[in-house]
Amino acid sequence: MYRSHLINRRFWLAGAAALALSACSKTEKDEHGHAEGGETAKGPHGGRLLEDGDFSLEVTLFEDGVEPEFRFYPYLKSKPLSPKSVTVTTSLTRLGGQVDSFSFAPEGDFLRGQGVVREPHSFDVAIKATHDGKVSTWTYASYEGRTTLAPDAAVSAGIQTEAAGAAILAERIDMSGRIEITPEGRSEVRAWYPGRIISMNGELGQLVQKGQVLARVESSESLQTYAIPAPISGVIMEKNANVGGVAYDSPLYVIADPNALHAEFFVFPRDAEKIRVGQDVEVRSLDGQTRLTAKVEALLPHADPTTQTLMAHVHLPAGASASFRSGLGVEGSFTVGSQGMPLAVRTEAIQRFRDFQVVFARVGTTYEVRMLKLGRQTPEWTEVLGGLAPGEVYVTKGAFLIRADIEKSGASHDH
């Protein structure tokens, strides 16, 4: 009976505040040769040697050019024994209680497992062998990519989980653009009749209300003085005249409503056919810190002769002026289609472990690696084609902490 060793360890995280992550990891010397603690007996082929009196069985996990499979070598008094004289069955109990069972068939000088030992190679092993009427049994733990973490430590470290399930994969096109005042949010203040400017009551940057008198002009024809009110509410962006000057064709002021914003995006011809009025667009500041969802309001049919792009206008909702200002550059993701996926995980949850892309499943206070076969991907979701079961709980935030803890413990192997 081989028992796993509990290894207590603590690592500290730098961030907005220091977080202490106290974890406990289980590892056991297995056929891959990685362990902490005492050594186990090895056979001639480098595998774990299980002994019962004169009879012994060497356990190896062979994966050289084939899918991982068990190969057992039997011995009697330390001498190779014909595999045809031995019957073996094996069961692997995985985290969560699932059991994989294997029978074996003789091949050459070993017994070959009838089935692939799927990743991760982390399980409690039970082996039953029969030779010459005698039954031998062994059990031991062989863990990799596994660690345990108390609930309060997980909360302190900011680790979050959710159940894997179906998701909607949104097809997006990314573009660059800029924030501008809408045509309705901009107005030029002009004299109604040519004449001498008697007074000007507005200054640059001043907030004015619709109907507020901004200037008075003496008509050159009637010599009557008339008032010029603000046509819209907004901020004076330009002042182009002074008292005593002549009001004629040029605007006296330019007023803009800072809340009347839209985003203008530059659409390449190859993408133009996919853009439709009403589509959702995620508008982001260039640093990615500010995001909002808006809709396409128009796609102008005329292409810019210099850039060979068309212009898509995206209406920004009320309150956008708190984060976006006219003239600033932005990025946008246009949702041009969507497809359902029966099983997906959040893209941010995926980590690199050995040669695999993985997530970390949680069962109680234990976390364990899950090697994934992946399909389509967006910044938010990634389709899972294999390696994770629907409903299985996995780490969505803080997965890198779990990976770091496992790698620190040495609870992994190299293929």
Side-chain angles (χ1 to χ4, degrees), residues 178-227:
R178 63 172 177 258
I179 302 297
E180 296 290 356
I181 301 291
T182 66
E184 298 81 9
R186 179 184 173 90
S187 182
E188 294 180 343
V189 181
R190 297 175 182 271
W192 298 344
Y193 309 103
R196 185 167 61 91
I197 301 171
I198 301 302
S199 66
M200 296 190 74
N201 305 318
E203 300 296 337
L204 280 175
Q206 180 181 342
L207 178 64
V208 297
Q209 300 299 316
K210 181 179 179 180
Q212 180 178 336
V213 174
L214 297 182
R216 296 183 184 273
V217 176
E218 182 184 74
S219 172
S220 298
E221 296 181 0
S222 66
L223 300 181
Q224 297 293 314
T225 299
Y226 62 89

Short mmCIF file of all heavy atoms in Angstrom, two decimals, residues 178-227:
data_model
loop_
_atom_site.label_atom_id
_atom_site.label_comp_id
_atom_site.label_asym_id
_atom_site.label_seq_id
_atom_site.Cartn_x
_atom_site.Cartn_y
_atom_site.Cartn_z
N ARG A 178 -12.48 56.37 -34.12
CA ARG A 178 -12.32 57.54 -33.27
C ARG A 178 -13.70 58.02 -32.82
O ARG A 178 -14.72 57.71 -33.44
CB ARG A 178 -11.59 58.66 -34.01
CG ARG A 178 -12.34 59.18 -35.22
CD ARG A 178 -11.69 60.41 -35.84
NE ARG A 178 -12.40 60.83 -37.04
CZ ARG A 178 -11.97 60.58 -38.29
NH1 ARG A 178 -10.82 59.93 -38.47
NH2 ARG A 178 -12.67 61.00 -39.33
N ILE A 179 -13.71 58.77 -31.72
CA ILE A 179 -14.94 59.34 -31.20
C ILE A 179 -15.16 60.72 -31.84
O ILE A 179 -14.23 61.51 -31.94
CB ILE A 179 -14.88 59.49 -29.67
CG1 ILE A 179 -14.62 58.12 -29.01
CG2 ILE A 179 -16.16 60.10 -29.14
CD1 ILE A 179 -15.71 57.11 -29.23
N GLU A 180 -16.40 60.97 -32.26
CA GLU A 180 -16.74 62.27 -32.85
C GLU A 180 -18.10 62.73 -32.33
O GLU A 180 -18.92 61.92 -31.88
CB GLU A 180 -16.80 62.17 -34.40
CG GLU A 180 -15.47 61.84 -35.06
CD GLU A 180 -14.45 62.97 -34.98
OE1 GLU A 180 -14.80 64.06 -34.47
OE2 GLU A 180 -13.30 62.76 -35.41
N ILE A 181 -18.33 64.04 -32.43
CA ILE A 181 -19.65 64.60 -32.16
C ILE A 181 -20.58 64.22 -33.31
O ILE A 181 -20.19 64.28 -34.49
CB ILE A 181 -19.59 66.13 -32.03
CG1 ILE A 181 -18.63 66.54 -30.90
CG2 ILE A 181 -20.98 66.71 -31.80
CD1 ILE A 181 -19.11 66.20 -29.52
N THR A 182 -21.81 63.83 -33.01
CA THR A 182 -22.76 63.51 -34.07
C THR A 182 -23.13 64.78 -34.83
O THR A 182 -23.01 65.89 -34.30
CB THR A 182 -24.03 62.89 -33.48
OG1 THR A 182 -24.71 63.87 -32.68
CG2 THR A 182 -23.72 61.66 -32.64
N PRO A 183 -23.59 64.64 -36.08
CA PRO A 183 -24.01 65.84 -36.83
C PRO A 183 -25.09 66.64 -36.08
O PRO A 183 -25.09 67.88 -36.12
CB PRO A 183 -24.56 65.25 -38.13
CG PRO A 183 -23.82 63.96 -38.30
CD PRO A 183 -23.66 63.43 -36.91
N GLU A 184 -25.99 65.94 -35.39
CA GLU A 184 -27.06 66.62 -34.66
C GLU A 184 -26.54 67.34 -33.42
O GLU A 184 -27.22 68.21 -32.86
CB GLU A 184 -28.13 65.62 -34.23
CG GLU A 184 -28.82 64.91 -35.38
CD GLU A 184 -28.01 63.75 -35.93
OE1 GLU A 184 -26.98 63.39 -35.30
OE2 GLU A 184 -28.38 63.19 -36.97
N GLY A 185 -25.35 66.94 -32.97
CA GLY A 185 -24.79 67.53 -31.75
C GLY A 185 -23.86 68.69 -32.00
O GLY A 185 -23.21 69.17 -31.08
N ARG A 186 -23.82 69.16 -33.24
CA ARG A 186 -22.92 70.27 -33.58
C ARG A 186 -23.72 71.33 -34.34
O ARG A 186 -24.51 71.01 -35.23
CB ARG A 186 -21.77 69.75 -34.45
CG ARG A 186 -20.77 70.82 -34.90
CD ARG A 186 -19.74 70.18 -35.82
NE ARG A 186 -18.87 71.17 -36.41
CZ ARG A 186 -17.73 71.59 -35.90
NH1 ARG A 186 -17.32 71.07 -34.75
NH2 ARG A 186 -16.99 72.50 -36.50
N SER A 187 -23.50 72.60 -34.01
CA SER A 187 -24.23 73.68 -34.68
C SER A 187 -23.35 74.91 -34.81
O SER A 187 -22.59 75.26 -33.89
CB SER A 187 -25.50 74.02 -33.90
OG SER A 187 -26.24 75.03 -34.56
N GLU A 188 -23.47 75.59 -35.96
CA GLU A 188 -22.78 76.85 -36.19
C GLU A 188 -23.74 78.01 -35.94
O GLU A 188 -24.88 78.00 -36.42
CB GLU A 188 -22.26 76.91 -37.63
CG GLU A 188 -21.18 75.88 -37.90
CD GLU A 188 -20.67 75.96 -39.33
OE1 GLU A 188 -21.35 76.58 -40.18
OE2 GLU A 188 -19.57 75.41 -39.59
N VAL A 189 -23.28 78.98 -35.18
CA VAL A 189 -24.10 80.14 -34.84
C VAL A 189 -23.73 81.26 -35.82
O VAL A 189 -22.61 81.77 -35.80
CB VAL A 189 -23.85 80.58 -33.39
CG1 VAL A 189 -24.73 81.78 -33.05
CG2 VAL A 189 -24.11 79.43 -32.44
N ARG A 190 -24.71 81.67 -36.68
CA ARG A 190 -24.46 82.68 -37.70
C ARG A 190 -25.41 83.87 -37.53
O ARG A 190 -26.50 83.74 -36.96
CB ARG A 190 -24.66 82.08 -39.09
CG ARG A 190 -23.69 80.95 -39.43
CD ARG A 190 -24.03 80.34 -40.78
NE ARG A 190 -23.14 79.23 -41.11
CZ ARG A 190 -21.98 79.37 -41.75
NH1 ARG A 190 -21.57 80.59 -42.13
NH2 ARG A 190 -21.24 78.32 -42.02
N ALA A 191 -24.95 84.98 -38.07
CA ALA A 191 -25.83 86.17 -38.11
C ALA A 191 -26.92 85.94 -39.15
O ALA A 191 -26.68 85.36 -40.20
CB ALA A 191 -25.02 87.42 -38.45
N TRP A 192 -28.12 86.43 -38.86
CA TRP A 192 -29.23 86.24 -39.80
C TRP A 192 -29.14 87.23 -40.98
O TRP A 192 -29.51 86.91 -42.09
CB TRP A 192 -30.56 86.44 -39.06
CG TRP A 192 -30.77 85.45 -37.95
CD1 TRP A 192 -30.10 84.28 -37.76
CD2 TRP A 192 -31.68 85.56 -36.86
NE1 TRP A 192 -30.53 83.64 -36.64
CE2 TRP A 192 -31.53 84.40 -36.06
CE3 TRP A 192 -32.62 86.53 -36.48
CZ2 TRP A 192 -32.26 84.19 -34.90
CZ3 TRP A 192 -33.37 86.32 -35.35
CH2 TRP A 192 -33.19 85.15 -34.55
N TYR A 193 -28.64 88.43 -40.66
CA TYR A 193 -28.46 89.47 -41.68
C TYR A 193 -27.08 90.08 -41.49
O TYR A 193 -26.60 90.22 -40.36
CB TYR A 193 -29.52 90.57 -41.55
CG TYR A 193 -30.94 90.05 -41.47
CD1 TYR A 193 -31.60 90.02 -40.23
CD2 TYR A 193 -31.60 89.60 -42.61
CE1 TYR A 193 -32.90 89.55 -40.15
CE2 TYR A 193 -32.89 89.11 -42.53
CZ TYR A 193 -33.54 89.08 -41.31
OH TYR A 193 -34.82 88.60 -41.21
N PRO A 194 -26.41 90.46 -42.53
CA PRO A 194 -25.10 91.10 -42.40
C PRO A 194 -25.20 92.37 -41.57
O PRO A 194 -26.22 93.09 -41.61
CB PRO A 194 -24.71 91.42 -43.85
CG PRO A 194 -25.53 90.48 -44.68
CD PRO A 194 -26.84 90.31 -43.94
N GLY A 195 -24.13 92.63 -40.79
CA GLY A 195 -24.14 93.85 -39.99
C GLY A 195 -22.99 93.88 -39.00
O GLY A 195 -22.14 92.98 -38.95
N ARG A 196 -22.96 94.96 -38.24
CA ARG A 196 -21.89 95.17 -37.26
C ARG A 196 -22.23 94.46 -35.96
O ARG A 196 -23.38 94.49 -35.49
CB ARG A 196 -21.70 96.66 -37.02
CG ARG A 196 -20.52 97.01 -36.11
CD ARG A 196 -20.23 98.50 -36.19
NE ARG A 196 -21.40 99.27 -35.75
CZ ARG A 196 -21.60 99.67 -34.50
NH1 ARG A 196 -20.72 99.36 -33.55
NH2 ARG A 196 -22.67 100.39 -34.20
N ILE A 197 -21.21 93.77 -35.38
CA ILE A 197 -21.40 93.04 -34.13
C ILE A 197 -21.36 94.03 -32.98
O ILE A 197 -20.36 94.74 -32.76
CB ILE A 197 -20.30 91.97 -33.95
CG1 ILE A 197 -20.32 90.98 -35.12
CG2 ILE A 197 -20.48 91.23 -32.61
CD1 ILE A 197 -19.16 90.03 -35.13
N ILE A 198 -22.49 94.09 -32.27
CA ILE A 198 -22.62 95.03 -31.15
C ILE A 198 -22.09 94.40 -29.86
O ILE A 198 -21.40 95.06 -29.07
CB ILE A 198 -24.08 95.46 -30.99
CG1 ILE A 198 -24.58 96.12 -32.27
CG2 ILE A 198 -24.23 96.41 -29.80
CD1 ILE A 198 -23.78 97.33 -32.69
N SER A 199 -22.40 93.11 -29.62
CA SER A 199 -21.94 92.44 -28.40
C SER A 199 -21.81 90.94 -28.66
O SER A 199 -22.49 90.36 -29.52
CB SER A 199 -22.92 92.69 -27.24
OG SER A 199 -24.17 92.05 -27.51
N MET A 200 -20.94 90.31 -27.88
CA MET A 200 -20.76 88.84 -27.91
C MET A 200 -20.70 88.38 -26.45
O MET A 200 -19.89 88.87 -25.67
CB MET A 200 -19.51 88.43 -28.67
CG MET A 200 -19.56 88.81 -30.15
SD MET A 200 -18.22 88.07 -31.11
CE MET A 200 -18.76 86.37 -31.19
N ASN A 201 -21.59 87.45 -26.12
CA ASN A 201 -21.75 87.08 -24.71
C ASN A 201 -21.23 85.67 -24.37
O ASN A 201 -21.39 85.22 -23.24
CB ASN A 201 -23.24 87.15 -24.34
CG ASN A 201 -23.84 88.50 -24.65
OD1 ASN A 201 -23.20 89.52 -24.40
ND2 ASN A 201 -25.03 88.51 -25.22
N GLY A 202 -20.63 85.00 -25.33
CA GLY A 202 -20.13 83.65 -25.08
C GLY A 202 -18.62 83.58 -25.17
O GLY A 202 -17.99 84.31 -25.95
N GLU A 203 -18.02 82.68 -24.37
CA GLU A 203 -16.58 82.48 -24.39
C GLU A 203 -16.26 81.01 -24.68
O GLU A 203 -17.09 80.12 -24.46
CB GLU A 203 -15.97 82.89 -23.04
CG GLU A 203 -16.21 84.34 -22.66
CD GLU A 203 -15.53 85.33 -23.61
OE1 GLU A 203 -14.55 84.92 -24.27
OE2 GLU A 203 -16.00 86.47 -23.70
N LEU A 204 -15.06 80.78 -25.16
CA LEU A 204 -14.64 79.41 -25.45
C LEU A 204 -14.77 78.52 -24.21
O LEU A 204 -14.38 78.92 -23.11
CB LEU A 204 -13.18 79.39 -25.93
CG LEU A 204 -12.91 79.75 -27.39
CD1 LEU A 204 -11.42 79.80 -27.63
CD2 LEU A 204 -13.58 78.74 -28.32
N GLY A 205 -15.32 77.34 -24.41
CA GLY A 205 -15.47 76.39 -23.32
C GLY A 205 -16.68 76.62 -22.45
O GLY A 205 -16.95 75.82 -21.54
N GLN A 206 -17.43 77.69 -22.72
CA GLN A 206 -18.60 78.01 -21.90
C GLN A 206 -19.76 77.07 -22.24
O GLN A 206 -20.03 76.79 -23.41
CB GLN A 206 -19.01 79.46 -22.13
CG GLN A 206 -20.23 79.90 -21.31
CD GLN A 206 -20.61 81.33 -21.60
OE1 GLN A 206 -19.81 82.11 -22.14
NE2 GLN A 206 -21.83 81.71 -21.25
N LEU A 207 -20.44 76.59 -21.21
CA LEU A 207 -21.63 75.77 -21.40
C LEU A 207 -22.82 76.70 -21.55
O LEU A 207 -23.08 77.55 -20.69
CB LEU A 207 -21.84 74.84 -20.21
CG LEU A 207 -23.08 73.94 -20.24
CD1 LEU A 207 -23.01 72.96 -21.40
CD2 LEU A 207 -23.23 73.19 -18.92
N VAL A 208 -23.56 76.56 -22.66
CA VAL A 208 -24.71 77.43 -22.93
C VAL A 208 -25.95 76.58 -23.13
O VAL A 208 -25.88 75.40 -23.46
CB VAL A 208 -24.46 78.31 -24.17
CG1 VAL A 208 -23.29 79.24 -23.93
CG2 VAL A 208 -24.22 77.46 -25.41
N GLN A 209 -27.10 77.20 -22.94
CA GLN A 209 -28.38 76.54 -23.11
C GLN A 209 -29.05 77.01 -24.39
O GLN A 209 -28.86 78.16 -24.84
CB GLN A 209 -29.29 76.83 -21.91
CG GLN A 209 -28.72 76.37 -20.58
CD GLN A 209 -28.50 74.87 -20.53
OE1 GLN A 209 -29.35 74.09 -20.98
NE2 GLN A 209 -27.36 74.47 -20.00
N LYS A 210 -29.84 76.14 -24.97
CA LYS A 210 -30.58 76.49 -26.18
C LYS A 210 -31.45 77.72 -25.89
O LYS A 210 -32.14 77.79 -24.88
CB LYS A 210 -31.46 75.31 -26.59
CG LYS A 210 -32.27 75.58 -27.85
CD LYS A 210 -33.09 74.37 -28.23
CE LYS A 210 -33.92 74.65 -29.49
NZ LYS A 210 -34.74 73.49 -29.91
N GLY A 211 -31.37 78.71 -26.79
CA GLY A 211 -32.13 79.95 -26.64
C GLY A 211 -31.39 81.06 -25.93
O GLY A 211 -31.84 82.22 -25.94
N GLN A 212 -30.26 80.72 -25.32
CA GLN A 212 -29.48 81.74 -24.61
C GLN A 212 -28.88 82.71 -25.63
O GLN A 212 -28.31 82.30 -26.65
CB GLN A 212 -28.38 81.07 -23.79
CG GLN A 212 -27.50 82.03 -23.02
CD GLN A 212 -26.47 81.26 -22.18
OE1 GLN A 212 -26.68 80.10 -21.83
NE2 GLN A 212 -25.36 81.92 -21.88
N VAL A 213 -29.00 84.03 -25.41
CA VAL A 213 -28.48 85.03 -26.33
C VAL A 213 -26.95 85.04 -26.28
O VAL A 213 -26.35 85.23 -25.22
CB VAL A 213 -29.03 86.43 -26.02
CG1 VAL A 213 -28.37 87.49 -26.90
CG2 VAL A 213 -30.54 86.45 -26.20
N LEU A 214 -26.35 84.84 -27.45
CA LEU A 214 -24.88 84.79 -27.53
C LEU A 214 -24.29 86.05 -28.16
O LEU A 214 -23.11 86.34 -27.93
CB LEU A 214 -24.45 83.55 -28.33
CG LEU A 214 -24.82 82.19 -27.74
CD1 LEU A 214 -24.28 81.07 -28.63
CD2 LEU A 214 -24.28 82.05 -26.33
N ALA A 215 -25.07 86.75 -29.00
CA ALA A 215 -24.53 87.95 -29.67
C ALA A 215 -25.68 88.86 -30.09
O ALA A 215 -26.84 88.43 -30.19
CB ALA A 215 -23.70 87.54 -30.88
N ARG A 216 -25.33 90.15 -30.33
CA ARG A 216 -26.27 91.12 -30.89
C ARG A 216 -25.59 91.77 -32.08
O ARG A 216 -24.43 92.19 -32.01
CB ARG A 216 -26.70 92.15 -29.85
CG ARG A 216 -27.48 91.54 -28.69
CD ARG A 216 -27.95 92.60 -27.71
NE ARG A 216 -28.61 91.97 -26.56
CZ ARG A 216 -29.90 91.65 -26.54
NH1 ARG A 216 -30.67 91.92 -27.61
NH2 ARG A 216 -30.44 91.09 -25.48
N VAL A 217 -26.38 91.92 -33.17
CA VAL A 217 -25.84 92.46 -34.42
C VAL A 217 -26.77 93.56 -34.93
O VAL A 217 -28.01 93.42 -34.90
CB VAL A 217 -25.73 91.35 -35.49
CG1 VAL A 217 -25.27 91.94 -36.82
CG2 VAL A 217 -24.76 90.27 -35.02
N GLU A 218 -26.17 94.66 -35.38
CA GLU A 218 -26.93 95.76 -36.01
C GLU A 218 -26.98 95.51 -37.50
O GLU A 218 -25.95 95.51 -38.18
CB GLU A 218 -26.27 97.10 -35.71
CG GLU A 218 -27.03 98.29 -36.28
CD GLU A 218 -26.29 99.58 -36.04
OE1 GLU A 218 -25.26 99.79 -36.74
OE2 GLU A 218 -26.69 100.35 -35.15
N SER A 219 -28.20 95.31 -38.04
CA SER A 219 -28.35 95.02 -39.45
C SER A 219 -27.88 96.18 -40.32
O SER A 219 -28.22 97.35 -40.05
CB SER A 219 -29.82 94.72 -39.77
OG SER A 219 -30.02 94.62 -41.16
N SER A 220 -27.13 95.90 -41.34
CA SER A 220 -26.64 96.94 -42.25
C SER A 220 -27.77 97.52 -43.08
O SER A 220 -27.66 98.66 -43.58
CB SER A 220 -25.58 96.36 -43.18
OG SER A 220 -24.48 95.90 -42.45
N GLU A 221 -28.86 96.80 -43.27
CA GLU A 221 -29.97 97.27 -44.09
C GLU A 221 -30.97 98.09 -43.27
O GLU A 221 -31.35 99.20 -43.63
CB GLU A 221 -30.68 96.10 -44.75
CG GLU A 221 -29.80 95.35 -45.72
CD GLU A 221 -30.54 94.21 -46.39
OE1 GLU A 221 -31.74 94.01 -46.09
OE2 GLU A 221 -29.93 93.50 -47.21
N SER A 222 -31.41 97.51 -42.13
CA SER A 222 -32.46 98.17 -41.35
C SER A 222 -31.93 99.03 -40.21
O SER A 222 -32.68 99.81 -39.60
CB SER A 222 -33.41 97.13 -40.77
OG SER A 222 -32.71 96.32 -39.82
N LEU A 223 -30.64 98.84 -39.91
CA LEU A 223 -30.00 99.50 -38.77
C LEU A 223 -30.66 99.15 -37.44
O LEU A 223 -30.49 99.85 -36.44
CB LEU A 223 -30.00 101.03 -38.97
CG LEU A 223 -29.28 101.56 -40.21
CD1 LEU A 223 -29.33 103.07 -40.24
CD2 LEU A 223 -27.84 101.08 -40.24
N GLN A 224 -31.42 98.03 -37.46
CA GLN A 224 -32.03 97.51 -36.25
C GLN A 224 -31.11 96.47 -35.62
O GLN A 224 -30.45 95.69 -36.33
CB GLN A 224 -33.39 96.89 -36.55
CG GLN A 224 -34.41 97.87 -37.10
CD GLN A 224 -34.81 98.90 -36.08
OE1 GLN A 224 -35.09 98.58 -34.92
NE2 GLN A 224 -34.83 100.18 -36.49
N THR A 225 -31.06 96.47 -34.32
CA THR A 225 -30.24 95.48 -33.62
C THR A 225 -31.09 94.27 -33.27
O THR A 225 -32.21 94.42 -32.77
CB THR A 225 -29.64 96.09 -32.34
OG1 THR A 225 -28.81 97.18 -32.68
CG2 THR A 225 -28.81 95.04 -31.60
N TYR A 226 -30.55 93.07 -33.60
CA TYR A 226 -31.29 91.84 -33.29
C TYR A 226 -30.38 90.89 -32.51
O TYR A 226 -29.14 90.95 -32.62
CB TYR A 226 -31.83 91.18 -34.56
CG TYR A 226 -30.77 90.72 -35.54
CD1 TYR A 226 -30.22 89.44 -35.45
CD2 TYR A 226 -30.32 91.58 -36.54
CE1 TYR A 226 -29.24 89.03 -36.35
CE2 TYR A 226 -29.36 91.18 -37.44
CZ TYR A 226 -28.81 89.89 -37.35
OH TYR A 226 -27.85 89.48 -38.22
N ALA A 227 -31.02 90.02 -31.70
CA ALA A 227 -30.27 89.07 -30.87
C ALA A 227 -30.11 87.73 -31.60
O ALA A 227 -31.00 87.32 -32.36
CB ALA A 227 -30.98 88.84 -29.53
#
